[in-house]
Amino acid sequence: MPADEAYVLSQADVRNIRNYVQHKYAAMPQDKRAEIVADAVKRIIHKQLPNFESSIKRSITETLIRTAVLERQRPVRADDIFQACLWLDRSDTQIYEPFHAWVETQLNVSCKKPVMQRLMDELSSKREQSDILAIDAENGLLAQLRALLLSAGVMVRAESSTVSAAEVIALPVTKWKMPLSRYSKVRAYIYSALCMLLIGTSLLYGWSLGKPSEQKLQPPVVVKPVQKLAVPVDGLPIELRYDEFDRARLVEFLESKSSILAEKPYFDAIIKAAQSFDIHPALLFAITGQEQGFVPKTNKLHKQIANNPFNVFHSWKEFNTNIGQSSEIAARTVFNLSKGRPADVDPFTWINRKYAEDPNWSDGVRTIFGKIMAYLDEP
């Protein structure tokens, strides 16, 4: 399997973990179960990272969860790990040495550190010149590095005979061989014996059915397949709940959209509503992005729209109140709609069923939320 196709964590893995925890710890409060799921996901990714110190591992793990799992909604791959590590300070030996060892293992190569470092710098330079700041794993940075290494004369390690994609179990071979004619006779005898055994068993079974029995036969027991329970959960998952964040970075993001919501009193009102209902502010701002494109100041009616950028009660035209009230209503609506969600249903999709008539609303909000979180996580 190519390096860029090596899955570290898939969406199916996350769903399986969540379902397992929901059933095993059904008596626990929802927030505790959510913490167990989040911790399990982090542990899986954490173990696949280079042998960095714990703080660096935690930072990279959080970045991968935000960008791959939440924003792009796809499996975490080895290539995602490589991209995240490529931005680290490789002049620091405590960072570069474990990173170098990890790359050698992933690509199955043995390379001198200066050569690997030079080719990584070349790859980073090409990436910057192409102005690809969020390159997808499909572009295969690890595969590109492998090609550069091979072109530089780096040798591929010999494959271990004990490890392979599909192990072949050798059958024992006897030195003695039966003559073909005798083998044919033996096979004919075996077939005849089996046929006789089958006929005898059938006759015996038929006789047993016709034999009278003092005991009344019981009807066969029909076992119905176990129906999978849709375990309801209360509230938003932990990744969508309120958490500390870089306010300055969030303001920068909104300003990049020319959004009036980056200013007072709009910004503060939305943050206050998010805190009151334990909702991550990025989720409320993502809704404004989906509903009104973050209310850019280039819109002549931006001050009226900013009174209700969530379009609560149908639209800002029908319900033009103030940002404090509309933020509170939007936050309470999200809070209430998030209740009773089956464990295997996406929270954005669950909220979408009553918040908006557009079935694609959840896709838009989910994508925007991921972009905001990725921006907040950038150094």
Side-chain angles (χ1 to χ4, degrees):
M1 179 182 290
D4 60 334
E5 290 296 323
Y7 289 175
V8 174
L9 180 73
S10 68
Q11 294 295 324
D13 294 331
V14 177
R15 287 194 298 271
N16 291 337
I17 293 171
R18 185 181 293 114
N19 291 338
Y20 172 78
V21 171
Q22 294 291 351
H23 287 83
K24 184 173 179 63
Y25 303 101
M28 279 189 176
Q30 169 59 21
D31 58 340
K32 295 298 182 183
R33 295 200 299 266
E35 289 177 5
I36 294 175
V37 173
D39 183 66
V41 170
K42 290 178 180 178
R43 286 175 183 270
I44 292 174
I45 298 176
H46 196 271
K47 289 181 180 180
Q48 303 298 323
L49 299 179
N51 192 25
F52 298 135
E53 67 168 342
S54 298
S55 62
I56 298 177
K57 277 192 169 185
R58 284 196 299 270
S59 176
I60 294 175
T61 299
E62 294 292 341
T63 298
L64 290 171
I65 291 175
R66 299 296 188 196
T67 56
V69 179
L70 294 180
E71 178 184 354
R72 301 175 188 173
Q73 294 288 306
R74 62 164 174 73
V76 178
R77 305 181 182 186
D79 204 81
D80 295 310
I81 295 176
F82 178 69
Q83 292 180 50
C85 296
L86 198 61
W87 293 108
L88 299 175
D89 182 10
R90 298 192 303 278
S91 63
D92 186 344
T93 57
Q94 293 183 344
I95 290 178
Y96 179 70
E97 289 186 1
F99 186 31
H100 177 96
W102 181 87
V103 172
E104 283 189 325
T105 300
Q106 294 296 317
L107 299 182
N108 196 34
V109 298
S110 182
C111 178
K112 293 182 179 180
K113 293 177 181 177
V115 176
M116 180 83 78
Q117 179 73 286
R118 175 176 59 81
L119 294 178
M120 284 186 183
D121 292 340
E122 181 179 335
L123 193 62
S124 298
S125 177
K126 287 182 178 179
R127 186 179 179 187
E128 292 174 357
Q129 291 174 6
S130 301
D131 193 27
I132 303 176
L133 300 179
I135 188 168
D136 288 333
E138 287 76 9
N139 290 319
L141 284 181
L142 267 177
Q144 294 179 39
L145 178 60
R146 181 184 176 89
L148 292 174
L149 289 168
L150 295 179
S151 64
V154 174
M155 300 299 294
V156 177
R157 291 173 178 171
E159 294 286 347
S160 173
S161 59
T162 59
V163 179
S164 63
E167 295 184 358
V168 178
I169 302 176
L171 297 174
V173 180
T174 58
K175 295 183 179 180
W176 176 79
K177 295 184 178 180
M178 184 184 295
L180 181 60
S181 60
R182 185 177 178 184
Y183 172 77
S184 300
K185 292 180 180 179
V186 171
R187 184 173 63 177
Y189 291 150
I190 293 174
Y191 285 167
S192 299
L194 289 174
C195 289
M196 294 299 295
L197 180 62
L198 179 61
I199 294 171
T201 303
S202 301
L203 292 174
L204 181 62
Y205 178 70
W207 172 80
S208 66
L209 291 178
K211 181 180 179 181
S213 175
E214 296 179 357
Q215 297 180 352
K216 185 179 180 180
L217 293 177
Q218 299 296 322
V221 178
V222 179
V223 180
K224 295 183 178 180
V226 178
Q227 298 295 325
K228 184 178 179 181
L229 297 178
V231 182
V233 296
D234 290 325
L236 294 167
I238 192 169
E239 63 267 21
L240 297 181
R241 295 188 177 187
Y242 188 88
D243 196 7
E244 293 301 320
F245 63 100
D246 191 336
R247 297 196 175 203
R249 288 286 291 172
L250 182 53
V251 169
E252 287 179 8
F253 178 88
L254 294 170
E255 288 178 342
S256 70
K257 307 296 182 183
S258 187
S259 173
I260 192 176
L261 303 181
E263 302 175 2
K264 292 183 177 182
Y266 309 101
F267 185 88
D268 294 340
I270 296 174
I271 299 299
K272 181 180 178 181
Q275 286 179 314
S276 299
F277 291 90
D278 193 21
I279 299 172
H280 201 293
L283 176 54
L284 293 185
F285 281 104
I287 293 175
T288 70
Q290 173 67 17
E291 295 287 342
Q292 291 296 337
F294 300 106
V295 193
K297 289 183 283 188
T298 53
N299 190 318
K300 295 180 180 180
L301 301 176
H302 66 273
K303 289 188 177 180
Q304 292 94 320
I305 298 173
N307 289 329
N308 182 8
F310 309 94
N311 281 338
V312 295
F313 297 131
H314 302 295
S315 75
W316 63 271
K317 293 181 180 178
E318 297 181 29
F319 185 71
N320 199 267
T321 176
N322 58 67
I323 187 60
Q325 187 176 21
S326 66
S327 297
E328 182 181 350
I329 294 172
R332 180 180 289 106
T333 302
V334 170
F335 176 84
N336 290 332
L337 292 180
S338 65
K339 294 179 179 179
R341 173 178 57 88
D344 58 347
V345 175
D346 175 76
F348 294 94
T349 303
W350 185 250
I351 295 171
N352 188 168
R353 77 193 195 284
K354 291 187 178 180
Y355 193 101
E357 296 178 357
D358 181 6
N360 297 319
W361 180 90
S362 56
D363 295 334
V365 176
R366 184 189 304 109
T367 300
I368 296 171
F369 174 80
K371 290 180 179 179
I372 295 176
M373 296 305 299
Y375 191 92
L376 294 179
D377 285 339
E378 288 179 2

